[in-house]
Amino acid sequence: MIPAPTSENELLERATALAGFTLGELAEQYGLVCPADLRREKGWVGMLLETCLGATAGSKPEQDFQDLGIELKSIPISHTGKPLETTFVCVAPLTNVHGLTWENSHIRNKLSKVLWIPVEGEREIPVCERHVGMPLIWQPSDEEEAQLKADWEELMEFIVLGKVHQITAKHGEYLQLRPKAANSKAVTEAYGANGQPIKTLPRGFYLKKPFTSRILAAHFMLPAEDTF
DNA sequence: CATTGATCATGT
DNA sequence: ACATGATCAATG
């Protein structure tokens, strides 16, 4: 096991040292077996990077590197550097939301500082041959945070009013609410239209692709619109 | 069931 | 072609 990094610089240096390696090469260093595809191990890449960087494995309530106040996110990218998937942030609170504000929300804490690690994600590339890209540490700008807060407030309004069922992934410009469960039969408690408790599918907050795309593009100074 | 890690795969 | 809704694994 790799010890936890003791500073942001150390973490970033470690992540930078991973750039250029393939997932197969990294897996081999840790005696892990690279799956042929991710159909049955959707979180495999994220777990591998956690291992490489000394994040504590298993489920933790807050950021991956809590002492450093940093959340680790791997992000699958195309050959043009654009995200191939939305990014899961955290489960959405559907009950006990009285007094909950953006400022004290779980999602704001998670997104306060993120270490993004781009990884080749096209399915044509075998998992073990996919390359790890250059990492970047990101903190939301005032504008980005305002955008996220606006979306969060819109979505939370539905939840508070007992209208969870009316929310679709189309709501929110940058942040969306989508199912986050083992399957469509999973249930959790939420507010009904009359304030009574109801059972519903657990949901999670996800960052839409254009949002994460801009983060990567801004950092790597890529053109806003790719012309490849 | 809830949390962590996300991607799959079908409908439009 | 792509986003939405569905799904997978491990762990507490």
Side-chain angles (χ1 to χ4, degrees):
Chain A
M1 278 299 247
I2 298 299
T6 57
S7 71
E8 179 175 319
N9 266 346
E10 185 182 359
L11 175 59
L12 186 56
E13 281 175 17
R14 281 191 200 174
T16 302
L18 301 179
F21 284 100
T22 64
L23 298 179
E25 289 168 340
L26 295 178
E28 189 175 8
Q29 288 180 31
Y30 294 91
L32 301 174
V33 178
C34 201
D37 58 62
L38 300 177
R39 278 181 297 185
R40 305 195 68 83
E41 289 179 77
K42 299 179 195 245
W44 187 83
V45 176
M47 300 298 275
L48 172 65
L49 294 177
E50 283 189 350
T51 299
C52 294
L53 295 173
T56 322
S59 34
K60 286 197 303 182
E62 297 299 319
Q63 293 132 317
D64 293 289
F65 301 97
Q66 202 166 0
D67 295 347
L68 306 180
I70 297 174
E71 170 74 10
L72 171 64
K73 287 286 175 201
S74 66
I75 182 164
I77 57 165
S78 70
H79 64 98
T80 59
K82 301 183 66 160
L84 288 167
E85 296 289 348
T86 55
T87 301
F88 170 72
V89 183
C90 64
V91 168
L94 299 184
T95 190
N96 298 130
V97 297
H98 179 70
L100 184 59
T101 63
W102 165 256
E103 280 67 30
N104 58 30
S105 68
H106 193 20
I107 184 171
R108 179 179 184 249
N109 178 249
K110 283 235 171 186
L111 294 178
S112 61
K113 192 178 277 194
V114 178
L115 172 63
W116 296 98
I117 302 188
V119 177
E120 287 179 333
E122 274 152 346
R123 296 188 204 178
E124 290 69 31
I125 310 173
V127 178
C128 62
E129 291 175 25
R130 296 180 190 177
H131 291 88
V132 175
M134 283 295 288
L136 71 112
I137 297 237
W138 167 83
Q139 289 186 261
S141 63
D142 290 346
E143 183 185 3
E144 288 168 329
E145 178 154 350
Q147 294 169 333
L148 295 172
K149 177 178 178 178
D151 284 343
W152 181 87
E153 290 179 340
E154 177 194 345
L155 295 167
M156 290 308 295
E157 174 125 321
F158 277 90
I159 291 171
V160 168
L161 296 177
K163 298 179 176 177
V164 197
H165 293 294
Q166 293 181 26
I167 306 176
T168 74
K170 295 183 186 66
H171 289 94
E173 202 174 346
Y174 303 103
L175 193 66
Q176 62 183 181
L177 194 75
R178 304 218 312 275
K180 169 61 176 172
N183 54 59
S184 59
K185 290 129 199 157
V187 289
T188 191
E189 195 155 276
Y191 299 129
N194 300 307
Q196 83 284 18
I198 61 166
K199 294 293 189 181
T200 192
L201 189 59
R203 322 293 167 106
F205 289 116
Y206 295 79
L207 295 175
K208 292 186 176 182
K209 288 196 270 186
F211 188 82
T212 50
S213 184
R214 276 196 284 109
I215 293 174
L216 300 180
H219 186 84
F220 296 113
M221 300 184 287
L222 294 170
E225 300 298 329
D226 80 75
T227 51
F228 292 104

